[in-house]
Each structure stands twice: as structure tokens, then as C-alpha cells.
Amino acid sequence: MYIEQAFKCLHDWWRYLAGFVIIIFASQIGTIPLITAVIFKELSSGAGVENLANLDQDTLLSILDSNLTLFLMLLSFAIGLLGIYFVVRFLHNQPFRELTTTRRKTDWGRIFFGFGLIAIVTTVLTVVDYYSNPEDYVVQFNLVPFIILAIIAIIMIPLQTSFEEYLFRGYLMQGIGVLAKNRWLPLILTSVVFGALHVANPEVDKLGPLVMVFYIGTGFFLGIMTLMDEGMELALGFHAGNNLIAALLVTADWTVFKTNSILKDVAEPSTGFDIVLPVLIIYPIFLLIMARRYKWTDWKGKLFGKVEEPLKDMDHIEIGENL
């Protein structure tokens, strides 16, 4: 069972607390290049450093070229991912594969399936919406900036999404699970915290607090996927596919990824049922597709059951002894 993997390693509560602090610290170190670049650009333009304190996040991120901004933003997640690897291997003495899956090796077929599922659906829906409502989009394709974007996105976005998956569906899911001795608490906590960390995204300012239903619902969706499949492969692929297609295909002035994508959405975003539509309809359909493909069973046990430490191997007993 996926959470029980943590019993094989050093799983004291203080290790998870210290590990979490180290991981967050590592990711914050990764923001230094972005901050430095912004300050340098402002100073070179003649502006004073004191002016930076009065700028909002969107303005700060618009100071640099969008491709450079994207790269530097994603760099912090890449360094955070290195922090997770360091903590898992050296603080917990856990093979990284056991944080990824219960299978003998990482199932790349599952990663590509999760990636392909969301990539195909998102692309099809976007194309249909583009032809149905062409006035809502502007084609902004520019070959050279797009190629640079594609290189950055293909390399860096999977690192960003992997950081989030390994932190929430991996490290914290296992850590909270072995400490709480159940599955429902880590599922709830990791999903809510995952969603809450998106509260600073510009989408929240634009769409209002209702969009948090989408972020928290996505956390539950990825958590259910991980627990039911006994591994993170589907979640890793799905999350990477979602963010990569979003960065390459469509951008908007009010999204966290302002990129040199093919299309720009200029429509006034909906703040109604469209926000919760994926959580209530699309995500359940995705789960049913995965359940059918991978033959998931025992939903109650895997999502709400107890987490028990496996019995340690008994010493070898000769056949016939004590008979």
C-alpha cells in the first residue's frame, strides 16, 4: 500500500517536520535569481529600489521578458524538488522510488497516460471553444518566442508540477498517513493545503474565492488518484500535462502563466458554474476512466481505511522445528 511505504524508512514525526522546513527553505532559495533579476533590471532602467516595494506582484513579474520570467519562476520549484530528494534520501533514508510508487519500478506508461488524458481533452475543448467563440481569442503566435517558450516549458514545467506532487501527494501524504494511522486525514489535509497555496494566484483576484473550489477540488482529485492507484505516476503525468498545455496553448492577462502561447483569451472570465464544472463532472469522469483501465477496487478501504505498520519479517525457522 502506498502510504505504508513510509514505514520502511525513518518516519519519526520530527523528521517530517524538519524535512518540510528544509524543502520550503530550498524552494525559497530558488526565488533569489528572480528577485535579483527584477532588482537589477529596475536599477539599470534608473528606477529606485524603493519603488519596487510599491509594485504589486503582476507588475513585478512584468518587468522582465515573459519567457525569462517563466524560467526564473519555475526555477524555485526545480530547486525545491532537489530539496525533496535530499530530505527523502538522507533524512528519511528512503529510496525515491518508494515515494513515487508501490510498484517495483516507476510506471512511465501511467505517467504518459495521465499526461495524454488531460492534454487531449484540454486541447479538444480549447479548439472547440475557439471556433465556437472566435471573438474571445486573439492569435498571438510568434515563432521564435514560442520556440523559446516551448523549450523552457517542456523542461521546467514537469519539474514544477513534480515538486508539487512529490511534496503533497508524496511526502506529506505518506508522512501524515503514518502519523495519523489513517488515509482520510492525509487526503483532506494535503488537498486543502494544496488548494490554499494557490490563493495568491491572480486568478483568485479576478474570479473571486469561488475559484478555490477548483484548486482544492483538484487537490482531492490528484490525492484520490494517488491512493487508488497505489502510486503517484498518474498524478505526475496529469499535473504536468495540465500545466504544460495551459502554458503553450492559451494565456490571459489574469492568469499566473502569462506566456507567448498560441492563443490569448480576451474574454471576461466566468465566475459561475464553469469554475466548478471540472470538479463536479469532468474529474469524476476521469476517475472512472482510470478506474476502468487500471481495475481499481476497494475504494472505501483505500480512501478511508486504517494505515497499519506491516509486520516485520520473522526470523527464518527450519522446517520441522518445534513440531
Side-chain angles (χ1 to χ4, degrees), residues 22-28 30 74-89 96 99-100 155-167 232 236:
I22 292 172
I23 292 167
I24 298 303
F25 180 71
S27 67
Q28 292 305 304
L74 298 177
L75 184 61
S76 65
F77 295 95
I79 295 176
L81 185 60
L82 287 177
I84 294 176
Y85 181 82
F86 174 84
V87 166
V88 170
R89 292 295 292 117
F96 208 63
L99 187 66
T100 307
I155 295 174
M156 299 299 293
I157 285 182
L159 296 178
Q160 175 245 326
T161 55
S162 293
F163 167 77
E164 294 183 359
E165 289 309 306
Y166 275 106
L167 177 59
M232 289 172 48
L236 285 168

Short mmCIF file of all heavy atoms in Angstrom, two decimals, residues 22-28 30 74-89 96 99-100 155-167 232 236:
data_model
loop_
_atom_site.label_atom_id
_atom_site.label_comp_id
_atom_site.label_asym_id
_atom_site.label_seq_id
_atom_site.Cartn_x
_atom_site.Cartn_y
_atom_site.Cartn_z
N ILE A 22 12.99 22.19 5.56
CA ILE A 22 14.12 22.19 4.62
C ILE A 22 13.63 22.36 3.19
O ILE A 22 14.21 23.11 2.39
CB ILE A 22 14.93 20.89 4.77
CG1 ILE A 22 15.64 20.85 6.13
CG2 ILE A 22 15.96 20.77 3.63
CD1 ILE A 22 16.29 19.52 6.44
N ILE A 23 12.54 21.66 2.84
CA ILE A 23 12.01 21.73 1.48
C ILE A 23 11.52 23.14 1.16
O ILE A 23 11.80 23.68 0.08
CB ILE A 23 10.87 20.71 1.31
CG1 ILE A 23 11.43 19.28 1.37
CG2 ILE A 23 10.13 20.94 0.00
CD1 ILE A 23 10.36 18.22 1.53
N ILE A 24 10.78 23.74 2.08
CA ILE A 24 10.28 25.10 1.85
C ILE A 24 11.44 26.09 1.76
O ILE A 24 11.46 26.99 0.91
CB ILE A 24 9.31 25.52 2.97
CG1 ILE A 24 8.09 24.60 2.98
CG2 ILE A 24 8.89 26.97 2.80
CD1 ILE A 24 7.33 24.55 1.66
N PHE A 25 12.44 25.89 2.62
CA PHE A 25 13.63 26.77 2.59
C PHE A 25 14.33 26.66 1.24
O PHE A 25 14.75 27.67 0.66
CB PHE A 25 14.58 26.40 3.72
CG PHE A 25 15.82 27.25 3.77
CD1 PHE A 25 15.77 28.57 4.16
CD2 PHE A 25 17.05 26.70 3.41
CE1 PHE A 25 16.91 29.35 4.20
CE2 PHE A 25 18.20 27.47 3.45
CZ PHE A 25 18.14 28.80 3.84
N ALA A 26 14.47 25.44 0.74
CA ALA A 26 15.13 25.23 -0.56
C ALA A 26 14.37 25.93 -1.68
O ALA A 26 14.97 26.57 -2.56
CB ALA A 26 15.26 23.73 -0.85
N SER A 27 13.04 25.82 -1.65
CA SER A 27 12.25 26.46 -2.70
C SER A 27 12.35 27.98 -2.62
O SER A 27 12.31 28.66 -3.65
CB SER A 27 10.79 26.01 -2.61
OG SER A 27 10.17 26.49 -1.42
N GLN A 28 12.47 28.52 -1.41
CA GLN A 28 12.61 29.97 -1.27
C GLN A 28 13.97 30.45 -1.76
O GLN A 28 14.08 31.55 -2.32
CB GLN A 28 12.40 30.37 0.19
CG GLN A 28 10.97 30.18 0.69
CD GLN A 28 9.96 30.90 -0.19
OE1 GLN A 28 10.05 32.11 -0.40
NE2 GLN A 28 9.00 30.16 -0.72
N GLY A 30 15.35 29.26 -4.22
CA GLY A 30 15.17 29.27 -5.67
C GLY A 30 14.53 30.54 -6.20
O GLY A 30 14.54 30.78 -7.42
N LEU A 74 9.87 29.18 -12.40
CA LEU A 74 9.88 27.72 -12.30
C LEU A 74 11.16 27.20 -11.67
O LEU A 74 11.18 26.07 -11.16
CB LEU A 74 9.68 27.10 -13.69
CG LEU A 74 8.35 27.44 -14.38
CD1 LEU A 74 8.31 26.82 -15.77
CD2 LEU A 74 7.18 26.96 -13.55
N LEU A 75 12.21 28.00 -11.70
CA LEU A 75 13.48 27.57 -11.12
C LEU A 75 13.35 27.26 -9.63
O LEU A 75 13.99 26.33 -9.13
CB LEU A 75 14.54 28.65 -11.35
CG LEU A 75 15.97 28.32 -10.88
CD1 LEU A 75 16.50 27.09 -11.63
CD2 LEU A 75 16.89 29.52 -11.10
N SER A 76 12.54 28.03 -8.93
CA SER A 76 12.37 27.80 -7.49
C SER A 76 11.78 26.42 -7.22
O SER A 76 12.13 25.76 -6.24
CB SER A 76 11.49 28.89 -6.88
OG SER A 76 10.16 28.82 -7.40
N PHE A 77 10.87 25.96 -8.11
CA PHE A 77 10.28 24.63 -7.94
C PHE A 77 11.32 23.55 -8.21
O PHE A 77 11.32 22.50 -7.56
CB PHE A 77 9.09 24.47 -8.87
CG PHE A 77 7.94 25.39 -8.57
CD1 PHE A 77 7.80 26.60 -9.22
CD2 PHE A 77 7.01 25.05 -7.59
CE1 PHE A 77 6.75 27.44 -8.93
CE2 PHE A 77 5.95 25.89 -7.29
CZ PHE A 77 5.83 27.10 -7.96
N ALA A 78 12.18 23.78 -9.19
CA ALA A 78 13.23 22.80 -9.50
C ALA A 78 14.18 22.63 -8.32
O ALA A 78 14.55 21.51 -7.96
CB ALA A 78 14.00 23.24 -10.75
N ILE A 79 14.55 23.74 -7.69
CA ILE A 79 15.43 23.67 -6.52
C ILE A 79 14.69 23.05 -5.34
O ILE A 79 15.25 22.28 -4.57
CB ILE A 79 15.96 25.07 -6.17
CG1 ILE A 79 16.85 25.58 -7.31
CG2 ILE A 79 16.73 25.06 -4.86
CD1 ILE A 79 17.35 26.99 -7.14
N GLY A 80 13.40 23.34 -5.22
CA GLY A 80 12.59 22.70 -4.19
C GLY A 80 12.52 21.20 -4.38
O GLY A 80 12.54 20.42 -3.42
N LEU A 81 12.45 20.75 -5.64
CA LEU A 81 12.43 19.31 -5.93
C LEU A 81 13.74 18.66 -5.50
O LEU A 81 13.74 17.53 -4.97
CB LEU A 81 12.18 19.09 -7.42
CG LEU A 81 12.00 17.64 -7.88
CD1 LEU A 81 10.82 16.97 -7.18
CD2 LEU A 81 11.81 17.59 -9.40
N LEU A 82 14.85 19.34 -5.72
CA LEU A 82 16.13 18.84 -5.22
C LEU A 82 16.11 18.74 -3.70
O LEU A 82 16.67 17.80 -3.11
CB LEU A 82 17.27 19.75 -5.66
CG LEU A 82 17.66 19.70 -7.14
CD1 LEU A 82 18.76 20.73 -7.43
CD2 LEU A 82 18.14 18.30 -7.53
N GLY A 83 15.45 19.71 -3.05
CA GLY A 83 15.32 19.65 -1.60
C GLY A 83 14.54 18.43 -1.14
O GLY A 83 14.91 17.79 -0.15
N ILE A 84 13.47 18.09 -1.86
CA ILE A 84 12.70 16.89 -1.52
C ILE A 84 13.57 15.65 -1.66
O ILE A 84 13.56 14.78 -0.78
CB ILE A 84 11.45 16.79 -2.42
CG1 ILE A 84 10.48 17.92 -2.13
CG2 ILE A 84 10.76 15.44 -2.20
CD1 ILE A 84 9.27 17.94 -3.04
N TYR A 85 14.32 15.57 -2.75
CA TYR A 85 15.18 14.40 -2.96
C TYR A 85 16.20 14.27 -1.83
O TYR A 85 16.41 13.18 -1.29
CB TYR A 85 15.90 14.52 -4.30
CG TYR A 85 16.79 13.34 -4.59
CD1 TYR A 85 16.26 12.16 -5.12
CD2 TYR A 85 18.15 13.39 -4.31
CE1 TYR A 85 17.07 11.07 -5.38
CE2 TYR A 85 18.97 12.30 -4.56
CZ TYR A 85 18.43 11.13 -5.10
OH TYR A 85 19.24 10.05 -5.33
N PHE A 86 16.82 15.39 -1.45
CA PHE A 86 17.80 15.38 -0.37
C PHE A 86 17.17 14.90 0.94
O PHE A 86 17.72 14.04 1.64
CB PHE A 86 18.38 16.78 -0.18
CG PHE A 86 19.29 16.92 1.00
CD1 PHE A 86 20.63 16.58 0.91
CD2 PHE A 86 18.81 17.39 2.22
CE1 PHE A 86 21.48 16.68 2.02
CE2 PHE A 86 19.63 17.51 3.33
CZ PHE A 86 20.98 17.15 3.22
N VAL A 87 15.99 15.45 1.27
CA VAL A 87 15.32 15.09 2.52
C VAL A 87 14.94 13.61 2.54
O VAL A 87 15.15 12.90 3.54
CB VAL A 87 14.07 15.98 2.72
CG1 VAL A 87 13.16 15.41 3.81
CG2 VAL A 87 14.48 17.40 3.07
N VAL A 88 14.37 13.13 1.44
CA VAL A 88 13.91 11.75 1.38
C VAL A 88 15.07 10.77 1.48
O VAL A 88 15.03 9.80 2.22
CB VAL A 88 13.11 11.51 0.08
CG1 VAL A 88 12.82 10.03 -0.14
CG2 VAL A 88 11.79 12.29 0.13
N ARG A 89 16.13 11.05 0.74
CA ARG A 89 17.24 10.11 0.69
C ARG A 89 18.09 10.13 1.96
O ARG A 89 18.55 9.08 2.42
CB ARG A 89 18.12 10.41 -0.53
CG ARG A 89 17.47 10.13 -1.87
CD ARG A 89 17.18 8.62 -2.06
NE ARG A 89 18.42 7.88 -2.18
CZ ARG A 89 18.80 6.95 -1.32
NH1 ARG A 89 18.03 6.63 -0.28
NH2 ARG A 89 19.93 6.31 -1.48
N PHE A 96 13.91 6.92 -3.45
CA PHE A 96 12.98 7.86 -4.06
C PHE A 96 11.85 7.12 -4.77
O PHE A 96 10.74 7.64 -4.87
CB PHE A 96 13.72 8.77 -5.05
CG PHE A 96 13.08 10.12 -5.21
CD1 PHE A 96 12.98 10.99 -4.14
CD2 PHE A 96 12.57 10.52 -6.43
CE1 PHE A 96 12.38 12.23 -4.28
CE2 PHE A 96 11.98 11.76 -6.59
CZ PHE A 96 11.88 12.62 -5.50
N LEU A 99 8.81 6.71 -2.65
CA LEU A 99 7.97 7.89 -2.51
C LEU A 99 7.10 8.06 -3.75
O LEU A 99 6.07 8.73 -3.70
CB LEU A 99 8.84 9.14 -2.33
CG LEU A 99 8.12 10.44 -2.00
CD1 LEU A 99 7.45 10.37 -0.63
CD2 LEU A 99 9.07 11.63 -2.07
N THR A 100 7.50 7.41 -4.84
CA THR A 100 6.80 7.54 -6.10
C THR A 100 5.71 6.50 -6.28
O THR A 100 4.59 6.81 -6.70
CB THR A 100 7.79 7.42 -7.29
OG1 THR A 100 8.85 8.36 -7.10
CG2 THR A 100 7.09 7.68 -8.62
N ILE A 155 10.96 21.57 -20.36
CA ILE A 155 11.97 21.18 -19.36
C ILE A 155 11.52 21.53 -17.95
O ILE A 155 11.62 20.70 -17.03
CB ILE A 155 13.31 21.87 -19.68
CG1 ILE A 155 13.86 21.37 -21.01
CG2 ILE A 155 14.32 21.61 -18.55
CD1 ILE A 155 15.11 22.10 -21.46
N MET A 156 11.01 22.74 -17.76
CA MET A 156 10.82 23.26 -16.41
C MET A 156 9.45 22.97 -15.80
O MET A 156 9.35 22.76 -14.58
CB MET A 156 11.05 24.77 -16.40
CG MET A 156 12.44 25.20 -16.83
SD MET A 156 13.75 24.57 -15.75
CE MET A 156 13.40 25.46 -14.22
N ILE A 157 8.40 22.96 -16.61
CA ILE A 157 7.07 22.74 -16.03
C ILE A 157 6.93 21.36 -15.40
O ILE A 157 6.35 21.24 -14.30
CB ILE A 157 5.97 23.02 -17.08
CG1 ILE A 157 5.83 24.54 -17.26
CG2 ILE A 157 4.63 22.41 -16.66
CD1 ILE A 157 4.76 24.96 -18.23
N PRO A 158 7.43 20.28 -16.02
CA PRO A 158 7.37 18.99 -15.31
C PRO A 158 8.12 19.00 -13.98
O PRO A 158 7.73 18.29 -13.05
CB PRO A 158 8.02 18.02 -16.31
CG PRO A 158 7.75 18.63 -17.65
CD PRO A 158 7.88 20.11 -17.42
N LEU A 159 9.16 19.81 -13.86
CA LEU A 159 9.86 19.94 -12.58
C LEU A 159 8.99 20.66 -11.57
O LEU A 159 8.94 20.30 -10.39
CB LEU A 159 11.18 20.69 -12.77
CG LEU A 159 12.23 20.00 -13.67
CD1 LEU A 159 13.47 20.88 -13.79
CD2 LEU A 159 12.60 18.63 -13.11
N GLN A 160 8.29 21.71 -12.04
CA GLN A 160 7.38 22.44 -11.15
C GLN A 160 6.25 21.56 -10.64
O GLN A 160 5.97 21.50 -9.44
CB GLN A 160 6.79 23.64 -11.89
CG GLN A 160 5.74 24.40 -11.09
CD GLN A 160 4.35 24.32 -11.72
OE1 GLN A 160 4.21 24.29 -12.94
NE2 GLN A 160 3.33 24.30 -10.89
N THR A 161 5.60 20.84 -11.57
CA THR A 161 4.47 20.00 -11.15
C THR A 161 4.94 18.81 -10.34
O THR A 161 4.25 18.37 -9.42
CB THR A 161 3.68 19.54 -12.38
OG1 THR A 161 4.55 18.86 -13.31
CG2 THR A 161 3.04 20.71 -13.09
N SER A 162 6.14 18.29 -10.66
CA SER A 162 6.67 17.17 -9.87
C SER A 162 6.98 17.61 -8.44
O SER A 162 6.76 16.85 -7.49
CB SER A 162 7.94 16.61 -10.53
OG SER A 162 7.63 16.01 -11.78
N PHE A 163 7.48 18.83 -8.29
CA PHE A 163 7.72 19.35 -6.94
C PHE A 163 6.42 19.34 -6.14
O PHE A 163 6.38 18.87 -4.99
CB PHE A 163 8.28 20.76 -6.99
CG PHE A 163 8.25 21.48 -5.66
CD1 PHE A 163 9.18 21.17 -4.69
CD2 PHE A 163 7.28 22.43 -5.38
CE1 PHE A 163 9.15 21.81 -3.45
CE2 PHE A 163 7.24 23.08 -4.16
CZ PHE A 163 8.18 22.76 -3.19
N GLU A 164 5.35 19.86 -6.73
CA GLU A 164 4.08 19.92 -6.01
C GLU A 164 3.53 18.53 -5.72
O GLU A 164 3.00 18.27 -4.64
CB GLU A 164 3.08 20.75 -6.81
CG GLU A 164 3.48 22.21 -6.93
CD GLU A 164 2.45 23.05 -7.68
OE1 GLU A 164 1.43 22.48 -8.12
OE2 GLU A 164 2.67 24.27 -7.82
N GLU A 165 3.67 17.62 -6.67
CA GLU A 165 3.15 16.26 -6.46
C GLU A 165 3.97 15.52 -5.40
O GLU A 165 3.42 14.87 -4.52
CB GLU A 165 3.14 15.48 -7.77
CG GLU A 165 2.09 15.96 -8.75
CD GLU A 165 0.72 16.05 -8.11
OE1 GLU A 165 0.25 15.04 -7.54
OE2 GLU A 165 0.11 17.13 -8.15
N TYR A 166 5.30 15.60 -5.50
CA TYR A 166 6.13 14.89 -4.52
C TYR A 166 5.98 15.49 -3.12
O TYR A 166 6.10 14.77 -2.13
CB TYR A 166 7.60 14.92 -4.95
CG TYR A 166 7.96 13.81 -5.91
CD1 TYR A 166 8.17 14.06 -7.25
CD2 TYR A 166 8.07 12.49 -5.45
CE1 TYR A 166 8.49 13.03 -8.13
CE2 TYR A 166 8.39 11.46 -6.32
CZ TYR A 166 8.60 11.74 -7.66
OH TYR A 166 8.90 10.72 -8.52
N LEU A 167 5.70 16.79 -3.04
CA LEU A 167 5.50 17.39 -1.73
C LEU A 167 4.15 17.00 -1.14
O LEU A 167 4.09 16.53 0.01
CB LEU A 167 5.61 18.91 -1.83
CG LEU A 167 5.36 19.70 -0.53
CD1 LEU A 167 6.34 19.27 0.55
CD2 LEU A 167 5.43 21.20 -0.78
N MET A 232 2.11 7.57 -7.52
CA MET A 232 1.91 8.94 -7.98
C MET A 232 1.99 9.10 -9.48
O MET A 232 1.84 10.20 -10.00
CB MET A 232 3.00 9.84 -7.35
CG MET A 232 2.86 10.09 -5.88
SD MET A 232 4.32 10.96 -5.25
CE MET A 232 4.50 12.26 -6.47
N LEU A 236 1.42 12.58 -11.44
CA LEU A 236 2.57 13.27 -12.02
C LEU A 236 2.31 13.63 -13.48
O LEU A 236 2.56 14.75 -13.92
CB LEU A 236 3.83 12.39 -11.92
CG LEU A 236 4.47 12.27 -10.54
CD1 LEU A 236 5.51 11.14 -10.54
CD2 LEU A 236 5.13 13.58 -10.12
#
